[in-house]
Amino acid sequence: MREINRAVMKKDALALVTGKPVYTEDIAPSDCLVVKALRSPHAHAIVRSVDKSMALKVPGIECILTAEDVPQTRFAIAGQTYPELSPYDHCILDPHIRYVGDPVALIAGADEASVCRAMKLVKVEYEVLEPLLDFRKAKDHTILVHPEEDWKALVDTGGDPKRNLVSAAQEDWGDLKAAMESSEVVVEGVYHTKQAQQAMMETFRAYSYLDEYGRLVLVSSTQVPFHVRRIVATALEIPKSQVRVLKPRIGGGFGAKQTAVMEVYPAIVTKMTGKRAMMIYTREESMTVSSPRHEAEIHVRVGASRDGIIQAISLDALWNAGAYGDHSPTTVTLAGHKAIPLYNRYKAFHFGYEAVYTNTIAAGAYRGYGATQGIFALESAVNELAVKLGMDPTVLRAKNIVHEGEVMPAYFNETALSCGLDRCLSRVKEMIGWQEKYPCRVLENGRIRAVGLGLAMQGSSISNVDVGSVTLKVNDDGFYTLAIGATDMGTGCDTILAQIAAECLGCSVDEIVTRGVDTDTSPYDSGSYASSTTYLTGMAVVKTCETLKKRMRESAALLLQAENTAELEFDGQEFRDPHTGRKLSRQELGNAAMCNHAIALEATEAHSSPTSPPPFMAGAAEIELDPETGQIELLDFAAVVDCGTVINTALARVQTEGGIVQGIGMTLMEDVVYTPEGRIANNSFMQYRLPSRLDIGDVRVEFQPSYEPNGPFGAKSIGEIVINTPAPAIADAVYHACGVRIKELPITAEKVYCAMQQKNTK
């Protein structure tokens, strides 16, 4: 392979590092109306009246919109393939306030100063209601978060707003009761993961305008342009044909921008006024009225024989959806389906889940998408099982993990056609020095160094649902244009897809021009989420290249007057007739196609996969713990990832390192805190601590190749799995260091110290 499995510089690298205007705010017209939302200070209330008379007198104010001024059609803001599994429970503006920060009014004006001044003059009369803040008490509570009669779900996921249920289901395989009773050792625990913020550098933002035909154009920093088109059209009650969405460069998303958090707000202002409008979320808004990771409480039971063969796994998950359903019906399913299949020797498993409404910020998509919470719980329980069995946790795993060629009952009965998990486990032990360092050692200064381990799996797209499409065209002089509907959110998918095309076409990556997403001209793509782009859209590229080469060969045969089209040779640069020796360069072919030519040198293909092959990962952490204070210092994190064939080694490495750092932050420091009134207390990076380079020690990454027959050149996904191992690995290392197992994230010095004190008093 010439273009695959090597480091290729991102196509937009120079523009980004030289500060070219590529992001939404950079390219927005200067005369856009500034749009801001007046937000409720109450977690639960009814808006009885809004007096905007004084605010409208502020110079520069264009309009102030309330629930009385906008459509009241309910819609879902989760960017998912239609029909969405998320309930239709949003309105653009709703007099029923469901969490602190729910918008009451939209204010649009010529500049930010006038809008902020007008906002202070709007008088709102609230009927304050008692909020429901504890998700453990939400089910069947007397307080209903969504009592409205027009709540609807396009797909039945077990939701019932009259019970505060967004989604609920369970799955059973085998005789769980018998398998547990036959187990000689059983561990049981409840694991709590709190909300976490994606904290991307570019906050939510979009601007809108009407084009020369009166169509609404929306330029948005989004992962899901085609879904945004549908969401905005539904909310504004206009045909989708009247909405066009363009996606420029994105300054990070990590799942947050899979939700149309704010696109409807500038859109409705433009529709009502006919003027350009722009909305930029502040950092505070991005922290408090966005779409963080779900808070979850997961009850795990694992049973095993005395020799360490896992007999049964039971996992019950309770999820805090928050004020709206959004991604909850889909996120909850991954907690079991992306954790239990890591182990494949059991006789039975159970997986149940419930997601409930509360009067807190609505949760959404975040890298790992539910698998992160489930893997922390199950991997921690397996580590606890190892202790109870008196067995090295790496040995216990080696006895039970899934291997290539095996059917995975807990993963929709898919077969692991590519699986290097055993090799990942073996290699990460060598990298961290497991044999020498496990479980711990005491230093001369009294501090303790210890190691811990965690495994993970994820998926590659949503099987039988998601679609990737590309259009590939030969231009004059023979260069190619690759139009994609997938969203590059900084991951480098524009470059990776160009590498795949270049490999198929036998040219260099520089000869492939990639275009950003425009819903008017780009082929349909489900969007950049669910670890889908390289695997799913990459296969669409392969199929499109084959179709295009066939058309190129037919065209070349006519121009060369070749008798047998199929025998025409193509080396990526020229076509050659083996019988006559006549040649036609790609440049000549491209130019000839511009005149008196009946074969279009353009192809479009789509791809949807019946399988979602999981990537696998093993991660190991080494920490140093101070027993006097409980302070944890992460010294080293080693990771080995099986993502099939690595397409771009440099981009795969930074994806892995970045995901690990996010996992470290979630494990050790990121902590969303609520006041008793339901307000998020840490609304900036001053209060919400993120890991810096000084907090993460060494992060070392290797790749364990496998070959996935359903992926492009054997590739699988890598985007999400990399965040999943730090939590169980670090928690296990903490246990080995001090003998206490922390079952709630983040694992802070205070929690460790208190747990040690409690242990010592027993």
Side-chain angles (χ1 to χ4, degrees), residues 150-169:
D150 57 346
W151 182 100
K152 67 176 180 180
L154 303 186
V155 178
D156 183 9
T157 62
D160 184 353
K162 304 304 181 186
R163 304 181 64 199
N164 284 327
L165 278 176
V166 179
S167 181

Side-chain angles (χ1 to χ4, degrees), residues 384-416:
E384 191 171 350
L385 177 64
V387 173
K388 206 165 185 178
L389 288 167
M391 187 178 293
D392 184 320
T394 65
V395 174
L396 174 61
R397 284 177 168 82
K399 288 173 175 279
N400 291 281
I401 55 176
V402 63
H403 289 76
E404 191 164 290
E406 294 181 353
V407 175
M408 299 173 284
Y411 194 62
F412 314 106
N413 284 314
E414 280 195 24
T415 300

Side-chain angles (χ1 to χ4, degrees), residues 474-479 572-574 584-593:
V474 181
N475 301 283
D476 45 335
D477 278 357
F479 74 93
Q573 300 303 315
E574 62 181 15
L584 182 72
S585 70
R586 179 157 46 88
Q587 180 180 7
E588 292 170 326
L589 176 64
N591 290 330

Side-chain angles (χ1 to χ4, degrees), residues 247 303 685:
K247 187 279 307 176
F685 288 161

Side-chain angles (χ1 to χ4, degrees), residues 324-515:
Y324 298 96
D326 298 354
H327 288 269
S328 294
T330 44
T331 307
V332 294
T333 65
L334 272 65
H337 292 142
K338 301 294 172 69
I340 298 172
L342 282 166
Y343 304 99
N344 215 37
R345 303 290 173 266
Y346 50 75
K347 297 176 182 177
F349 76 82
H350 162 80
F351 172 42
Y353 59 81
E354 292 179 337
V356 293
Y357 283 118
T358 62
N359 292 119
T360 61
I361 183 175
Y366 186 177
R367 193 178 205 164
Y369 204 78
T372 310
Q373 296 95 311
I375 286 170
F376 168 62
L378 181 57
E379 284 298 278
S380 294
V382 170
N383 284 327
E384 191 171 350
L385 177 64
V387 173
K388 206 165 185 178
L389 288 167
M391 187 178 293
D392 184 320
T394 65
V395 174
L396 174 61
R397 284 177 168 82
K399 288 173 175 279
N400 291 281
I401 55 176
V402 63
H403 289 76
E404 191 164 290
E406 294 181 353
V407 175
M408 299 173 284
Y411 194 62
F412 314 106
N413 284 314
E414 280 195 24
T415 300
L417 299 177
S418 57
C419 177
L421 183 57
D422 55 342
R423 301 188 297 277
C424 292
L425 175 60
S426 177
R427 178 57 187 147
V428 87
K429 287 178 62 178
E430 296 175 4
M431 291 175 66
I432 204 71
W434 187 269
Q435 294 300 121
E436 301 80 30
K437 299 175 181 178
Y438 168 78
C440 67
R441 62 194 189 280
V442 181
L443 305 180
E444 291 182 0
N445 60 8
R447 296 192 177 192
I448 305 167
R449 290 191 177 182
V451 290
L453 182 80
L455 304 182
M457 62 176 282
Q458 197 77 35
S460 302
S461 81
I462 304 174
S463 58
N464 299 304
V465 173
D466 287 341
V467 175
S469 304
V470 301
T471 296
L472 193 59
K473 181 174 69 172
V474 181
N475 301 283
D476 45 335
D477 278 357
F479 74 93
Y480 300 97
T481 301
L482 178 66
I484 62 176
T487 301
D488 191 330
M489 52 178 168
T491 56
C493 79
D494 287 357
T495 306
I496 289 169
L497 296 175
Q499 283 182 258
I500 294 172
E503 186 69 36
C504 292
L505 296 169
C507 66
S508 72
V509 175
D510 292 337
E511 293 176 283
I512 309 286
V513 176
T514 54
R515 290 212 316 265

